[in-house]
Amino acid sequence: MIKTFSGTFVLLLLAAGCAGNRDGDDFIRDNIRQAVAHHTRQTEIIEASGRVLNPRTIYEDGSIVYVPIEDWTSGFFPGSMWLTYELTGDDKWKTLAEKYTEALDSVKYLTWHHDVGFMIGCSYLNGYYRAGKQEYKDVVVQAARSLCSRFRPAAGVIQSWDVDKGWQAERGWKCPVIIDNMMNLELLFEAFLMSGDPCFFQVAVEHANTTLEHQFRADNSSFHVIDYDPETEEVRHKHTAQGYAHESAWARGQAWGLYGYVTCYRYTKDPGYLEQARKIHDFIFSHPQLPEDLIPYWDYHAPDIPDTPRDASAAACTAAALYELHTYLPENGYKATADRIMQSLASPAYRADIGENGNFILKHSVGSIPHGVEIDVPLNYADYYFLEALIRKRDLEKEQL
């Protein structure tokens, strides 16, 4: 039997649907306004200096920390300019994005750490896709070559850090690989698409597979650092550098792994990667120490929970990953979870008022508590992934109309 509805009931349904859409639109618009206001103040300071400054966080006195182009976070602020351009369509942000991105040109030759994927991917790759900057392809491909110089074929991994100096040398490591490396594989996949060179694809897949084999525990949480013998693939140590303990689950590390395997699935359609992303999600969102607002403590096993810092950067990265994961597994509720994270991040508890917080969008992130740096501060990568999540949310909701 065909059901019929009264005209009044149909109008009520339409009104409810429109209200829901308006609520989503209002959330997007409100957060765009906030981002534009923060970025306007931030870029006015930069432009008035007559230099290209790259804000990362703030000092204890509230003044802004600027970093050189070699810093692993140098791509996030230029990337945020591209994301703001995408959200607004305002050419002002495109102009600034080009300027701040192109200041990183020499990073494409950097070979002494693995973070070139963050640095060039967030800046140049965004410019390539969001503004059609075809001239950026050469930078992306050269950066991928630089990243591949760190590939250790016998071990099947891209080495994260050099071990001949600093605190890394003190650990006695030979070939440390951190879960963060999963975030750099996107650069290799894109370089493969741009150049046709299969080596980029092969290195990315081999690293992802080796990481899948060795980096995760039975509960699908990840170690932060795996130290390999670069000649044999033997696992020498399973450690942490930024987490609470070797056996603990560092919050941002879990976000890196989730995002990384979702990204790997995008390019390969390997169901093993999708399954690993699902398992990491399940670890995070079934953990008894995850707060109700879904913004994690800096480590899921920190001893002083709840009196310990949250990490908004981990939450923002997780939300961005979940929006993409939703497109592959739309029946699993991932978008609804991401929406809850975004509502928390956009609340006064985490989103800064205009003119405060060093002109960064989000408060309450953590760099490295074991190293005593960047504890309960804004971080440029928290803002970057928040904006990326906002774009993904917007685009998903447009498709649903």
Side-chain angles (χ1 to χ4, degrees):
M1 183 177 69
I2 299 174
K3 293 182 179 180
T4 60
F5 300 98
S6 71
T8 301
F9 184 61
V10 170
L11 288 172
L12 288 171
L13 284 175
L14 289 172
C18 291
N21 291 336
R22 282 200 302 272
D23 289 344
D25 289 346
D26 288 347
F27 181 87
I28 301 296
R29 284 195 294 267
D30 177 54
N31 281 285
I32 291 173
R33 283 194 296 268
Q34 288 286 118
V36 165
H38 284 296
H39 290 337
T40 296
R41 287 172 172 265
Q42 192 78 272
T43 55
E44 284 175 350
I45 294 170
I46 295 170
E47 294 303 298
S49 76
R51 297 178 290 157
V52 175
L53 302 175
N54 199 318
R56 169 171 170 160
T57 183
I58 58 174
Y59 292 107
E60 289 186 7
D61 65 1
S63 58
I64 300 167
V65 176
Y66 298 105
V67 295
I69 64 171
E70 295 84 4
D71 187 86
W72 79 272
T73 69
S74 65
F76 290 114
F77 185 71
S80 289
M81 297 296 97
W82 286 116
L83 299 181
T84 305
Y85 170 61
E86 169 76 15
L87 285 163
T88 65
D90 186 339
D91 283 341
K92 165 190 173 179
W93 303 110
K94 178 184 176 185
T95 299
L96 291 171
E98 290 169 339
K99 179 179 180 179
Y100 302 158
T101 290
E102 290 163 18
L104 304 181
D105 177 75
S106 62
V107 170
K108 65 189 177 189
Y109 297 117
L110 189 153
T111 60
W112 54 271
H113 65 67
H114 69 106
D115 288 310
V116 65
F118 282 122
M119 300 155 79
I120 295 299
C122 296
S123 56
Y124 279 89
L125 198 53
N126 267 308
Y128 174 75
Y129 277 110
R130 301 189 188 280
K133 302 284 287 184
Q134 295 295 313
E135 64 270 31
Y136 287 0
K137 288 172 65 173
D138 290 344
V139 176
V140 172
V141 172
Q142 177 56 52
R145 291 194 188 101
S146 296
L147 182 57
C148 284
S149 74
R150 302 189 63 77
F151 184 63
R152 308 297 177 244
V157 291
I158 300 166
Q159 183 171 334
S160 297
W161 298 317
D162 288 346
V163 293
D164 59 348
K165 55 185 177 298
W167 61 267
Q168 292 95 334
E170 296 170 4
R171 300 291 183 102
W173 291 329
K174 287 187 176 181
C175 179
V177 174
I178 58 178
I179 191 64
D180 317 40
N181 254 25
M182 289 301 301
M183 300 293 288
N184 293 296
L185 301 185
E186 182 175 22
L187 182 78
L188 299 183
F189 286 122
E190 286 292 339
F192 163 67
L193 295 176
M194 292 176 180
S195 69
D197 186 340
C199 290
F200 295 131
F201 189 93
Q202 292 163 5
V203 167
V205 166
E206 192 161 353
H207 181 93
N209 290 344
T210 305
T211 299
L212 186 57
E213 181 177 359
H214 296 299
Q215 201 102 20
F216 293 89
R217 305 181 182 96
D219 65 359
N220 297 300
S221 65
S222 69
F223 290 93
H224 182 204
V225 186
I226 303 293
D227 182 37
Y228 295 88
D229 185 317
E231 303 301 326
T232 66
E233 197 187 334
E234 173 195 358
V235 173
R236 301 178 68 246
H237 304 289
K238 296 186 175 185
H239 282 175
T240 193
Q242 290 168 265
Y244 164 64
H246 296 325
E247 295 295 329
S248 72
W250 174 51
R252 196 164 65 252
Q254 312 317 302
W256 291 152
L258 174 64
Y259 190 109
Y261 280 103
V262 173
T263 300
C264 286
Y265 180 74
R266 182 198 312 160
Y267 292 100
T268 67
K269 295 300 182 281
D270 183 330
Y273 298 153
L274 190 62
E275 177 66 6
Q276 186 59 31
R278 186 192 65 78
K279 289 178 178 178
I280 299 168
H281 162 275
D282 291 351
F283 168 81
I284 292 171
F285 292 98
S286 65
H287 200 283
Q289 299 286 27
L290 181 68
E292 188 175 345
D293 67 2
L294 306 186
I295 311 302
Y297 300 103
W298 70 279
D299 192 296
Y300 288 93
H301 301 99
D304 45 356
I305 290 172
D307 299 318
T308 198
R310 305 290 191 92
D311 188 1
S313 73
C317 182
T318 298
L322 290 180
Y323 283 125
E324 181 171 358
L325 188 57
H326 166 83
T327 67
Y328 308 130
L329 298 169
E331 305 304 319
N332 288 27
Y334 296 134
K335 180 182 181 298
T337 303
D339 285 344
R340 286 180 59 197
I341 296 171
M342 292 295 283
Q343 288 287 348
S344 293
L345 291 174
S347 74
Y350 297 98
R351 195 180 71 179
D353 291 334
I354 305 303
E356 299 180 354
N357 201 44
N359 304 311
F360 293 92
I361 300 168
L362 296 181
K363 304 177 287 186
H364 304 312
S365 289
V366 170
S368 179
I369 282 184
H371 294 94
V373 296
E374 298 176 336
I375 300 172
D376 195 22
V377 293
L379 289 167
N380 61 8
Y381 46 93
D383 286 4
Y384 175 88
Y385 289 110
F386 178 76
L387 293 175
E388 183 178 72
L390 194 66
I391 289 171
R392 291 178 174 184
K393 174 179 171 64
R394 179 202 67 180
D395 292 348
L396 282 171
E397 291 172 357
K398 281 183 179 178
E399 291 172 6
Q400 293 171 356
L401 293 178

